[in-house]
Amino acid sequence: MEEALFLTRFASKVTMIHRRDVFRASKIMLDRAQHHEKIQFLTDTVVEDVYDIHHKEVTGLKLRNVKTGKVWDFPTSALFLGIGHEPNAKMFAHQLDTDADGYLKTHDYVFTRVHGVFACGDVQDRRYRQAITAAGTGCMAAIEAEKFLEAQGK
């Protein structure tokens, strides 16, 4: 909801496309977005395709309603992808330390308590949760993994 509200500063219209009809946003943020004149909602809908990326632009989306199966084209000139704020780290819950919200705990940026296992990106970055920091910590973890493997003689 925060991103949609922010985008209204630059766009004439923002359409929130969401795969369910329920949102995890706080009530106040949802109310703000739902009452903003520039924001419209398409619920129970997923993006199947993005048109004209081979021309390095977005001209539309292919959408599908997950309940009815209806598919249609949605003209647009931009796409902003929001991934939410829940870390997808449940698979490591009994192997690596997590905090109360499910984020992997690290020390010295990318090191976990397990020797040779490094965590990066949105599963351990609870503050910024952005692609650029995920790419940065991903690079850090790759460098540490390379050093680890070299030390193992591999």
Side-chain angles (χ1 to χ4, degrees):
M1 297 305 145
E2 290 176 55
E3 289 86 352
L5 288 162
F6 178 77
L7 289 172
T8 62
R9 297 179 191 175
F10 311 101
S12 58
K13 180 172 108 176
V14 174
T15 303
M16 173 80 71
I17 301 168
H18 189 57
R19 68 187 173 277
R20 300 180 309 145
D21 61 354
V22 176
F23 296 93
R24 292 186 182 135
S26 68
K27 182 174 177 5
I28 192 166
M29 292 304 291
L30 181 58
D31 286 345
R32 283 182 191 165
Q34 287 176 326
H35 291 98
H36 197 289
E37 72 248 2
K38 288 186 178 181
I39 299 177
Q40 297 177 342
F41 288 82
L42 281 177
T43 57
D44 299 320
T45 302
V46 293
V47 176
E48 294 278 308
D49 199 4
V50 180
Y51 296 135
D52 290 329
I53 57 172
H54 57 282
H55 289 124
K56 298 189 184 335
E57 68 176 310
V58 175
T59 61
L61 306 172
K62 178 180 179 182
L63 301 180
R64 179 177 54 84
N65 183 289
V66 297
K67 289 186 175 176
T68 66
K70 177 186 173 191
V71 175
W72 72 98
D73 289 339
F74 182 82
T76 188
S77 60
L79 169 69
F80 178 87
L81 181 63
I83 60 171
H85 295 293
E86 280 191 23
N88 190 10
K90 290 181 180 118
M91 67 187 90
F92 304 112
H94 300 293
Q95 301 165 11
L96 300 173
D97 294 333
T98 59
D99 67 14
D101 296 320
Y103 289 89
L104 296 178
K105 289 184 180 180
T106 56
H107 61 89
D108 298 325
Y109 305 105
V110 296
F111 291 84
T112 67
R113 70 171 175 82
V114 178
H115 187 64
V117 177
F118 310 96
C120 61
D122 293 349
V123 295
Q124 60 80 240
D125 175 20
R126 69 178 303 111
R127 181 175 177 122
Y128 300 105
R129 297 183 294 237
Q130 297 177 9
I132 194 66
T133 58
T137 58
C139 180
M140 293 161 67
I143 290 169
E144 295 302 337
E146 182 180 37
K147 288 179 183 178
F148 173 80
L149 292 172
E150 285 175 355
Q152 301 297 309
K154 297 182 181 185

